[in-house]
Amino acid sequence: MSGKLNGKTALVTGACNGIGLADAIEFVKEKADTVIMVSDNNERLLEAKETVKQYGNAEIITYRLDVTSENEWKDFIDEMSKKINKLDVLVNNAGVNKRATFQECTLEDWNHVITVNQTGVFLGMKYCLALLKKSGNASIINMSSITGLTGYFAVAYTASKWAVRGMTKSAAMEFGELGIRVNSIHPGFINTPFNESIQDLIKLSNGMNSLGRAGEAFEIAKAVTFLASDDSSYMTGTEVILDGGLTSGGQFKLLAKQFNNY
Ligand SMILES: NC(=O)c1ccc[n+]([C@@H]2O[C@H](COP(=O)([O-])OP(=O)(O)OC[C@H]3O[C@@H](n4cnc5c(N)ncnc54)[C@H](O)[C@@H]3O)[C@@H](O)[C@H]2O)c1
């Protein structure tokens, strides 16, 4: 039986937990040939590989890579070029947050978030390009956020996610003629380890979205898989929002309810 990703080789960064792990699982379920899982946390990555293997027969390759390091990207691509002859899907998913306002955010905080979330995506697209070109029909999915669409109190995170949204459009323009589509994903609050420390904020925000709940990692992975597959063959340079309706005016519902106007 064929799946949506039949015959494809896919790479996911930050694949050891949360959304990246869900992407890898979904790719295996949709019969990708090879799924390459990378993360800066090797121990967790090896555990994640065992989980992913249970979902199908794809070849799973794991590799410890810090997405902020140009040298590590170079070594990684040299190594991969010996194992695979093309790359069909790149998911730039690795990300960190420092929930600090302008007044609290140090330069060190700023540089850390920008380097992982923004420079990491730049390096990912730059160094995977040669293998993606060999596909002739490739798809890049960059993980932004709803904070790449609106303002948010975490200044460095917000800046990095707007940058991902912008870079996606520049890349889509440049790579289209190389047979590569590039799109960004914009999740709202999703239940992953990323959000363990902000459960109160999430509870409150649930009252502001149309579905009344946070999302699950697999719900993002389904959309990532759609963008990775040929089903989205005419989509490039665009933004896919998965936020349960949070950015579509949910705050007005909460306000109206509080003032008994709803
Ligand atoms: N969870 C949410 O609510 C949410 C909402 C919007 C956007 N996002 C974005 O989705 C992506 C995944 O988030 P998640 O919720 O699964 O988070 P997570 O913390 O569960 O996973 C993040 C992954 O990134 C990896 N990582 C961090 N720094 C790295 C580095 N320097 N090099 C390589 N890997 C590194 C971690 O090891 C981990 O595997 C992130 O880009 C995040 O900004 C998450």
Side-chain angles (χ1 to χ4, degrees), residues 13-21 23 38-41 44-45 64-69 72 92-97 99 112 115-117 121 142-147 157 160-161 185-195 198 202 215 217 220 242:
T13 70
C16 72
N17 50 349
I19 296 169
L21 174 57
D23 292 343
V38 308
S39 165
D40 59 342
N41 183 337
R44 184 69 200 98
L45 199 52
R64 201 215 67 85
L65 168 75
D66 178 346
V67 295
T68 68
S69 164
E72 289 191 21
N92 283 308
N93 167 78
V96 291
N97 198 354
R99 296 185 176 92
H112 179 53
T115 320
V116 178
N117 295 5
V121 173
N142 292 329
M143 200 55 63
S144 181
S145 160
I146 52 169
T147 66
Y157 188 74
S160 72
K161 294 301 185 181
I185 294 251
H186 301 259
F189 290 107
I190 310 301
N191 290 321
T192 71
F194 198 74
N195 286 333
I198 56 160
I202 292 183
I220 306 303
L242 297 122

Side-chain angles (χ1 to χ4, degrees), residues 79-108:
E79 186 72 25
M80 283 310 115
S81 300
K82 292 178 203 149
K83 295 186 183 210
I84 57 173
N85 52 22
K86 66 168 171 97
L87 184 63
D88 305 294
V89 179
L90 165 65
V91 188
N92 283 308
N93 167 78
V96 291
N97 198 354
K98 173 75 194 179
R99 296 185 176 92
T101 61
F102 262 102
Q103 292 175 81
E104 291 164 341
C105 188
T106 64
L107 183 59
E108 196 185 341

Side-chain angles (χ1 to χ4, degrees), residues 231-257:
D231 287 348
S232 56
S233 55
Y234 199 54
M235 283 178 77
T236 197
T238 196
E239 297 145 11
V240 176
I241 304 171
L242 297 122
D243 68 351
L246 184 59
T247 53
S248 66
Q251 70 272 33
F252 299 117
K253 175 170 130 184
L254 190 68
L255 283 173
K257 276 189 168 171

Side-chain angles (χ1 to χ4, degrees), residues 17-242:
N17 50 349
I19 296 169
L21 174 57
D23 292 343
I25 290 173
E26 202 57 32
F27 289 179
V28 169
K29 281 166 124 179
E30 290 297 342
K31 307 265 187 294
D33 265 14
T34 306
V35 178
I36 306 162
M37 301 168 65
V38 308
S39 165
D40 59 342
N41 183 337
N42 203 35
E43 200 180 320
R44 184 69 200 98
L45 199 52
L46 295 176
E47 287 168 24
K49 178 180 182 177
E50 292 310 307
T51 305
V52 172
K53 269 167 51 182
Q54 295 167 25
Y55 289 87
N57 298 322
E59 183 188 1
I60 311 291
I61 299 173
T62 54
Y63 192 96
R64 201 215 67 85
L65 168 75
D66 178 346
V67 295
T68 68
S69 164
E70 185 168 28
N71 284 338
E72 289 191 21
W73 271 109
K74 282 182 185 163
D75 291 347
F76 168 67
I77 293 299
D78 282 352
E79 186 72 25
M80 283 310 115
S81 300
K82 292 178 203 149
K83 295 186 183 210
I84 57 173
N85 52 22
K86 66 168 171 97
L87 184 63
D88 305 294
V89 179
L90 165 65
V91 188
N92 283 308
N93 167 78
V96 291
N97 198 354
K98 173 75 194 179
R99 296 185 176 92
T101 61
F102 262 102
Q103 292 175 81
E104 291 164 341
C105 188
T106 64
L107 183 59
E108 196 185 341
D109 296 335
W110 170 271
N111 284 339
H112 179 53
V113 173
I114 296 292
T115 320
V116 178
N117 295 5
Q118 182 172 336
T119 312
V121 173
F122 166 71
L123 292 173
M125 290 199 280
K126 188 170 176 62
Y127 282 97
C128 290
L129 188 58
L131 281 169
L132 288 162
K133 277 203 278 193
K134 291 187 181 164
S135 162
N137 181 25
S139 174
I140 300 175
I141 298 107
N142 292 329
M143 200 55 63
S144 181
S145 160
I146 52 169
T147 66
L149 302 167
T150 70
Y152 188 58
F153 68 90
V155 59
Y157 188 74
T158 307
S160 72
K161 294 301 185 181
W162 277 78
V164 169
R165 181 181 170 204
M167 265 193 291
T168 297
K169 294 184 197 310
S170 298
M173 197 182 296
E174 185 177 336
F175 299 167
E177 62 198 34
L178 305 174
I180 304 168
R181 299 180 294 106
V182 194
N183 294 288
S184 55
I185 294 251
H186 301 259
F189 290 107
I190 310 301
N191 290 321
T192 71
F194 198 74
N195 286 333
E196 262 158 19
S197 61
I198 56 160
Q199 287 305 307
D200 290 348
L201 177 67
I202 292 183
K203 224 171 167 180
L204 192 64
S205 93
N206 290 345
M208 296 168 83
N209 79 39
S210 306
L211 300 181
R213 63 173 177 85
E216 300 300 332
F218 80 87
E219 294 178 295
I220 306 303
K222 295 267 183 199
V224 171
T225 303
F226 169 69
L227 289 176
S229 78
D230 297 341
D231 287 348
S232 56
S233 55
Y234 199 54
M235 283 178 77
T236 197
T238 196
E239 297 145 11
V240 176
I241 304 171
L242 297 122

